[in-house]
Amino acid sequence: MPYPAGRHFLQIPGPTNVPDRVLRAISAPTIDHRGPDFARLTHDLLDNLKSIFRTTGPVVIYPSSGTGAWEAALVNTLSPGDRVLAFETGHFATLWRELATNLGLQVDFVLGDWRHGVDPDVVAERLGKDTGHAVRAVCVVHNETSTGVTSRVADVRAAIDRTGHPALLLVDTVSSLGSIDYRHDEWGVDVTVSCSQKGLMLPPGLGFNALSEKAVRAGATATLPRSYWDWQPILTANQRGFFPYTPPTNLLYGLRESMLLLAEEGLERVFERHTRHAAATRAAVRAWGLEVLCLDEREHSAALTAVLLPAEHDADKVREIILDRYDVSLGTGLGRLAGRVFRIGHLGALNDVSLAGTLAGVHMGLKLAGVPIDPGGIDAALRVLSGS
Ligand code: PLP
């Protein structure tokens, strides 16, 4: 393979591009994780994470991927045989359901078409019928990374409240935190699950749980077996600035830096940038004459766009051409969408020109692959980016 000049475009919907400042922060020497400098780092991180999750409650950090943080949310709040209400919004909701089932939970899985988010009316209907309050938790994936559909968590909360049902609300923000507006406290979420490698612009390796008081109380009586994931020893050690086991020190340096970057840009502006990039991407896709997978205008993801190809074209073949010829990585179709869609990630550290470059790579790749497209896609995207 000849040396590919220029920067690789990592435009999958996570892991995302890691900014140079974060990479430099990660490369600092590892320090004693039981020493005073480390304690200061921990206190600083745990304080700042609250503003990212928009909570005043505790945030637990794990050396894990998002899957670990999923498991932690369940084992800390639930007991064997507990009923959980979950929604088939796509591949990741399906994986979380499988994990819950493997843990011995009974999951009521509301089937979906992978083109819509969670319907708040269905939440109200299901919980309204559960007069005995057998359902202990409602699990929602905020941004379904396999489909580019963002569920309306505030409306889900309102639906739960309408029924007066006491179920916990567990929300996966793996691909929304730091990219799409999210409010743990205001939306009455009990456990928010997230991780490092998407909107936080870090490499994979950190998982998070943000906890409500109700979640912590549920933890006191929940009996699913847990040890590594147990919140209590972590919360106790965190008070002194430490962890019950060896923490991923260098990723934590990176987290400190990435939160500084988000604060410098300002979270509101970060969300606006993602929204604008998503609108520009959809404008390109539609002008090319292709279909955006998400079918509800209220639910378009600001973090990624899944593009549905005509049935006679293999989306993976198109991705392969775009990678080989233009050094741009796009997300593959997952689960039942394999070969049908490719996903353009526009989350994390990305500016207008990088997005325009990505879309140019997609445009040229579609043409090389013989997918018939109208030529106006890039112009349509640039009009959105330039606000004209
Ligand atoms: N949830 C969502 C929405 C995801 O996109 C992913 C991974 O991309 C996961 C959970 C699982 O996270 P991980 O692969 O880091 O374990």
Side-chain angles (χ1 to χ4, degrees):
M1 277 286 281
Y3 168 72
R7 280 222 172 196
H8 173 65
F9 274 51
L10 181 65
Q11 299 309 138
I12 58 175
T16 60
N17 296 289
V18 181
D20 292 347
R21 264 175 61 180
V22 174
L23 288 174
R24 280 196 293 276
I26 289 172
S27 71
T30 305
I31 56 170
D32 174 10
H33 60 287
R34 302 189 198 281
D37 285 348
F38 191 89
R40 273 190 288 278
L41 171 67
T42 305
H43 288 309
D44 193 25
L45 292 177
L46 294 176
D47 274 355
N48 288 331
L49 275 171
K50 290 181 196 289
S51 62
I52 307 282
F53 284 90
R54 293 203 161 135
T55 183
T56 54
V59 180
V60 171
I61 306 175
Y62 294 104
S64 80
S65 77
T67 303
W70 265 347
E71 179 158 340
L74 300 173
V75 296
N76 277 286
T77 53
L78 298 166
S79 300
D82 274 354
R83 272 180 63 197
V84 168
L85 179 63
F87 301 84
E88 189 200 13
T89 47
H91 183 67
F92 290 103
T94 305
L95 288 182
W96 200 10
R97 188 272 297 251
E98 275 170 31
L99 191 153
T101 307
N102 291 341
L103 290 172
L105 298 167
Q106 287 184 60
V107 185
D108 299 343
F109 201 47
V110 178
L111 298 182
D113 65 357
W114 293 40
R115 301 190 75 172
H116 291 87
V118 175
D119 182 342
D121 290 338
V122 174
V123 176
E125 185 201 317
R126 290 293 184 120
L127 293 183
K129 283 189 190 146
D130 180 34
T131 48
H133 297 168
V135 172
R136 303 302 305 271
V138 177
C139 291
V140 172
V141 175
H142 182 212
N143 186 65
E144 186 36 92
T145 324
S146 61
T147 62
V149 176
T150 305
S151 285
R152 292 162 284 142
V153 176
D155 294 351
V156 170
R157 173 78 259 169
I160 298 173
D161 290 346
R162 276 203 301 282
T163 64
H165 198 290
L168 295 163
L169 177 58
L170 314 184
V171 180
D172 168 334
T173 64
V174 163
S175 60
S176 56
L177 192 78
S179 301
I180 300 172
D181 189 14
Y182 183 76
R183 301 154 189 243
H184 177 90
D185 284 2
E186 189 182 321
W187 296 347
V189 178
D190 292 298
V191 187
T192 298
V193 171
S194 204
C195 67
S196 53
Q197 73 269 23
K198 313 255 184 185
L200 294 183
M201 306 174 284
L202 289 161
L206 296 178
F208 304 100
N209 277 180
L211 322 178
S212 72
E213 278 175 27
K214 186 171 159 190
V216 175
R217 277 199 305 278
T221 52
T223 59
L224 273 175
R226 59 184 189 265
S227 175
Y228 185 81
W229 304 115
D230 196 346
W231 292 335
Q232 275 315 322
I234 302 174
L235 293 174
T236 304
N238 280 176
Q239 281 172 8
R240 294 174 43 245
F242 301 119
F243 287 80
Y245 38 72
T246 314
T249 307
N250 292 58
L251 281 177
L252 298 178
Y253 295 155
L255 176 61
R256 177 168 56 188
E257 193 64 25
S258 75
M259 287 196 291
L260 268 178
L261 294 181
L262 290 173
E264 284 171 25
E265 187 175 351
L267 265 188
E268 291 309 326
R269 273 202 294 277
V270 170
F271 299 149
E272 275 163 30
R273 170 167 58 81
H274 282 79
T275 302
R276 191 158 44 81
H277 286 174
T281 304
R282 287 196 301 278
V285 172
R286 287 170 176 157
W288 284 325
L290 299 176
E291 207 180 329
V292 172
L293 186 69
C294 174
L295 285 177
D296 188 327
E297 281 304 316
R298 297 166 299 178
E299 296 179 334
H300 284 302
S301 170
L304 77 137
T305 301
V307 183
L308 188 60
L309 285 190
E312 62 277 21
H313 293 280
D314 177 355
D316 279 331
K317 187 75 207 150
V318 173
R319 277 189 335 108
E320 204 179 296
I321 289 171
I322 292 171
L323 177 62
D324 284 353
R325 182 69 180 79
Y326 302 111
D327 204 18
V328 177
S329 286
L330 300 173
T332 186
L334 293 168
R336 68 158 82 148
L337 296 171
R340 300 289 321 284
V341 308
F342 63 83
R343 294 170 300 143
I344 303 172
H346 33 73
L347 73 165
L350 193 70
N351 61 24
D352 290 9
V353 173
S354 302
L355 179 72
T358 301
L359 295 174
V362 175
H363 178 112
M364 293 187 287
L366 285 164
K367 292 199 87 161
L368 268 185
V371 180
I373 53 170
D374 291 330
I378 300 296
D379 275 351
L382 297 186
R383 276 197 297 279
V384 174
L385 291 177
S386 61
S388 58

